[in-house]
Amino acid sequence: QVQLVESGGGLVQAGGSLRLSCAASGSIFSINAMGWYRQAPGKQRELVATSTSGGNTNYADAVKGRFTISRDNAKNTVYLQMNSLKAEDTAVYYCYCTARMVLHYREYDYWGQGTQVTVSS
């Protein structure tokens, strides 16, 4: 199995910043995509940002220009720098990765447990 452990969530005032981290561990052969989704109360889970192993990134329109995703492939870790936070960014943020385990031939998606981000207005 692949385990994802997130950290860095919390309470921040509007206009502030937070940095989320997510480290993958386990019997990992390779990791393709890593990224973040979020789910606000009463809403569906939505994509925030993704990063491929080749360095391509993709952002939701709502966070472009404010959030930055980055990766440390040597540490199997992905980060999300969140600046200029707004009340509508309040949600549980989930880390995910698409990875291939040792002795497996397929890639699977794995998810973290989620970390709460609350932005007060």
Side-chain angles (χ1 to χ4, degrees):
Q1 282 291 334
V2 175
Q3 296 81 39
L4 296 173
V5 178
E6 300 136 332
S7 61
L11 173 64
V12 64
Q13 288 188 335
S17 299
L18 282 174
R19 188 187 192 216
L20 305 182
S21 300
C22 173
S25 62
S27 301
I28 299 170
F29 178 79
S30 62
I31 297 179
N32 187 353
M34 296 189 82
W36 298 89
Y37 279 69
R38 67 186 181 186
Q39 187 167 19
K43 295 187 176 181
Q44 290 188 333
R45 190 175 296 191
E46 62 177 5
L47 173 71
V48 177
T50 62
S51 174
T52 69
S53 58
N56 294 320
T57 58
N58 184 43
Y59 295 92
D61 288 342
V63 307
K64 283 181 181 177
R66 300 187 297 121
F67 290 11
T68 302
I69 189 170
S70 60
R71 286 172 65 164
D72 185 335
N73 291 326
K75 296 181 179 180
N76 289 335
T77 299
V78 63
Y79 306 95
L80 186 68
Q81 178 66 43
M82 304 185 293
N83 298 328
S84 303
L85 283 160
K86 305 175 181 180
E88 50 264 43
D89 294 318
T90 295
V92 177
Y93 284 69
Y94 296 92
C95 170
Y96 87 97
C97 74
T98 302
R100 177 182 165 189
M101 291 177 59
V102 174
L103 301 180
H104 285 64
Y105 296 97
R106 284 186 55 187
E107 291 183 334
Y108 294 91
D109 290 339
Y110 298 91
W111 292 88
Q113 79 285 358
T115 185
Q116 177 69 45
V117 171
T118 302
V119 184
S120 61
S121 57

